[in-house]
Amino acid sequence: MSYRSPRPERRALVLAALCAMGCKETRRSAPAQTPAGPTNQTARPAAPAVAPGRGAQVIVDISESIRGFTSAQSTALETLHAQVIESSLSALQVNNPFQRCTVDDQVRCGAAVTAQQLRLPATYRGANAALHLALRRPPRAPRPDLQQPDPLDPYAVTVMVTDGFQSTGNMFQPGASSDVACTSGADPSCLAALLRQRVDEGYGLWVGRLVMGFDGRYFAERRLDPTMWQRITAHINALNVAPEWNGVRFSASAPNMTGASGAFRFTGARPLLVFVLSRDIARGRGLVAEMERRLRVERITRRGIADDVVFSEWSPFEGMSAQLLNASRAASGGANDHVLVARPQRSPAALDVTARCDIEGKARIRLDGVLRNGALPPPPFAHIALGWRLLARPPQGNAGELLVPREALRPVPEPFVAHTGIDCTVLPAGTFAYTMGITARWTVDPTGFNAQWFARESAETSYEMPERVFGLADLARAVITAGVNREGTLDQLTLRVERR
């Protein structure tokens, strides 16, 4: 970051709700529709085809705000890079080629620093950390030979280590493009825009937080006044009696009340952030798991407890898939025997069911299916609402009214049963086709989001809470919302009724 750091009538056909099995959806005026095929998850923007990258790069923030994590006696940062990040990349065989870059006012990859140098206070001298330069896709050049390479695409994995983002004094802009948001530098708005773009391009994104010991200058990135300093010291006093910080002594002293950096001496603990980006989702998850395992072995964090290390997956949201497996007549006898349900056939788009009946036919139809999670369960900060919806109906006359199942679908990976039905006593002779779908809508759950570490450990100002990350909640909400807020069809049923 900067050295001034931290900061989703006669009816043609009646799918009868015998007892409590259906709910009506009428669309008399709508034209016939061609349903979209089912998807394994709710709709996401199509990512451009990009050849997979090779190897790994590690981008290290060397702004002065990192210096407080170092000391002559501590090897924590060297261990983080050598024994955690590099060893994890090697274990997953994704370190060939390997490149380490540093970032302050620009990104430098030519003369790489060693892991040993990353433990030294003198390494961290940058006045700013232009993190946006390490993430931003270059503008399209008029000729291929003039095109600048993308900073991420050549690599299978990119890891970025920083303590936070710049505080530029601008209001957070959750929907701004990177061209707009990054005009002032790598603040939360800028980083949110760039990370949203990478998610839309198909990148997986993981964010980790390490609680590390800190003793050095903290940069408020604004001029301090006595009232601000009073708020800082009051917060420090509260930290020293907070149970979660038992064993950690915080202090703040020697404020610079005249400089624009608002620097002051801070001792205690601060978060170090680790961002992982990869288009190979399985590899990205594997790397994060391996780094987390090694961090728990190395115990380089301040308190030495499990809560000191946490990683979260912000993208992708693979969510939940649904599949209709069978359709059958639910009962026999009487009017049921005048309805014959053929063995369902599976097509790429839907479960296709044909029912044949005469003027005396009336029967319930049982639908069996299953809901499954993706590779990971839905995250706690995402809410999914499942339901049934009429997607297409016959264009003939009044054959456009139907009832769809009313059984609730819980977003739980388990088998489900739903019922619909046909009433051929009110159906004219002919063949009619209807399509209904299991639809899903994702939204961000505010309660679930606010319970996550990246919301609880975010600071609203860049100066008052040095043990938190300025603007982290805003950044996380913007990126996560862009990925979560979506809707689509998980699976479909095409019902063809042949009334003789």
Side-chain angles (χ1 to χ4, degrees):
M1 63 182 289
S2 160
Y3 75 24
R4 314 173 184 95
S5 68
R7 352 203 197 225
E9 86 224 53
R10 187 175 176 82
R11 294 182 174 90
L13 175 66
V14 177
L15 296 179
L18 304 176
C19 302
M21 64 182 177
C23 88
K24 184 190 282 187
E25 182 175 345
T26 305
R27 298 183 182 175
R28 292 186 174 88
S29 60
Q33 301 176 31
T34 301
T39 61
N40 285 334
Q41 58 179 347
T42 43
R44 289 287 299 132
V50 178
R54 294 178 57 249
Q57 68 172 340
V58 177
I59 300 168
V60 187
D61 180 347
I62 57 166
S63 61
E64 191 181 345
S65 63
I66 303 288
R67 188 179 297 176
F69 293 104
T70 69
S71 71
Q73 297 77 33
S74 174
T75 62
L77 292 189
E78 178 183 351
T79 300
L80 171 64
H81 286 276
Q83 304 303 323
V84 176
I85 298 175
E86 288 185 36
S87 293
S88 296
L89 291 169
S90 178
L92 270 68
Q93 299 182 349
V94 70
N95 60 339
N96 185 22
F98 172 81
Q99 173 176 269
R100 180 185 289 114
C101 304
T102 60
V103 56
D104 44 24
D105 60 335
Q106 58 184 291
V107 179
R108 298 178 176 86
C109 301
V113 299
T114 65
Q116 292 80 9
Q117 289 175 302
L118 293 175
R119 63 176 289 186
L120 303 176
T123 301
Y124 303 92
R125 297 179 295 183
N128 295 285
L131 301 176
H132 57 306
L133 300 181
L135 298 172
R136 194 169 190 175
R137 188 174 291 281
R140 185 181 298 275
R143 300 200 321 260
D145 60 308
L146 299 177
Q147 182 65 51
Q148 294 295 313
D150 182 82
L152 303 188
D153 285 347
Y155 298 93
V157 175
T158 293
V159 180
M160 185 169 69
V161 181
T162 183
D163 65 335
F165 327 107
Q166 288 179 254
S167 172
T168 61
N170 293 334
M171 294 290 290
F172 185 77
Q173 306 173 73
S177 69
S178 59
D179 289 338
V180 173
C182 296
T183 55
S184 298
D187 63 9
S189 291
C190 173
L191 270 294
L194 292 169
L195 292 173
R196 284 201 316 268
Q197 180 179 348
R198 291 297 180 173
V199 167
D200 287 342
E201 292 171 357
Y203 276 86
L205 172 61
W206 298 263
V207 184
R209 182 270 289 142
L210 317 178
V211 176
M212 306 290 286
F214 190 90
D215 185 4
R217 288 210 302 169
Y218 176 85
F219 298 90
E221 301 194 73
R222 58 179 298 172
R223 191 182 301 273
L224 298 177
D225 60 31
T227 300
M228 292 177 182
W229 183 244
Q230 187 176 17
R231 289 174 63 179
I232 293 169
T233 56
H235 179 71
I236 297 298
N237 291 336
L239 290 177
N240 282 324
V241 296
E244 64 268 26
W245 291 109
N246 186 36
V248 180
R249 181 67 183 174
F250 291 91
S251 67
S253 61
N256 182 344
M257 298 289 197
T258 59
S261 70
F264 58 89
R265 175 73 179 273
F266 175 72
T267 301
R270 286 191 63 221
L272 199 60
L273 302 179
V274 179
F275 290 80
V276 178
L277 294 102
S278 177
R279 293 190 305 274
D280 186 334
I281 306 305
R283 178 169 284 173
R285 286 175 178 154
L287 176 62
V288 168
E290 181 66 13
M291 289 195 300
E292 191 168 4
R293 183 189 71 80
R294 290 176 182 271
L295 280 165
R296 300 196 186 286
V297 171
E298 297 296 340
R299 300 174 67 89
I300 61 173
T301 57
R302 176 60 180 83
R303 294 172 296 185
I305 61 175
D307 288 346
D308 278 355
V309 178
V310 59
F311 279 84
S312 294
E313 182 172 297
W314 288 7
S315 174
F317 294 102
E318 294 177 336
M320 181 165 282
S321 64
Q323 187 175 29
L324 290 163
L325 303 173
N326 194 33
S328 59
R329 200 176 65 192
S332 300
N336 291 288
D337 293 341
H338 291 262
V339 177
L340 298 177
V341 179
R343 182 186 298 274
Q345 299 295 319
R346 187 77 217 185
S347 73
L351 184 70
D352 297 314
V353 181
T354 298
R356 300 177 177 89
C357 60
D358 58 31
I359 191 63
E360 299 180 42
K362 182 187 292 188
R364 303 170 70 200
I365 295 178
R366 169 180 169 140
L367 306 175
D368 291 271
V370 64
L371 293 167
R372 299 184 180 95
N373 283 333
L376 295 178
F381 47 80
H383 172 73
I384 183 171
L386 302 175
W388 296 87
R389 182 182 299 170
L390 173 61
L391 302 175
R393 62 175 186 234
Q396 302 100 316
N398 294 321
E401 187 171 336
L402 86 93
L403 301 162
V404 296
R406 85 167 46 185
E407 286 90 349
L409 290 171
R410 304 188 307 149
V412 177
E414 62 183 11
F416 66 86
V417 175
H419 293 83
T420 183
I422 58 174
D423 186 351
C424 295
T425 66
V426 296
L427 185 66
T431 300
F432 307 92
Y434 297 80
T435 300
M436 67 181 72
I438 301 173
T439 63
R441 183 171 183 265
W442 288 84
T443 55
V444 174
D445 176 62
T447 301
F449 179 89
N450 291 333
Q452 302 306 303
W453 65 268
F454 41 78
R456 293 183 285 104
E457 300 177 18
S458 176
E460 294 185 3
T461 70
S462 61
Y463 63 90
E464 189 174 351
M465 300 177 175
E467 86 291 357
R468 301 187 185 186
V469 180
F470 167 70
L472 182 60
D474 288 334
L475 182 151
R477 187 181 295 106
V479 176
I480 287 171
T481 298
V484 170
N485 282 6
R486 49 189 159 122
E487 57 185 345
T489 303
L490 301 186
D491 201 11
Q492 298 177 181
L493 170 72
T494 298
L495 178 62
R496 292 177 178 83
V497 180
E498 298 179 4
R499 159 69 168 86
R500 298 176 298 215

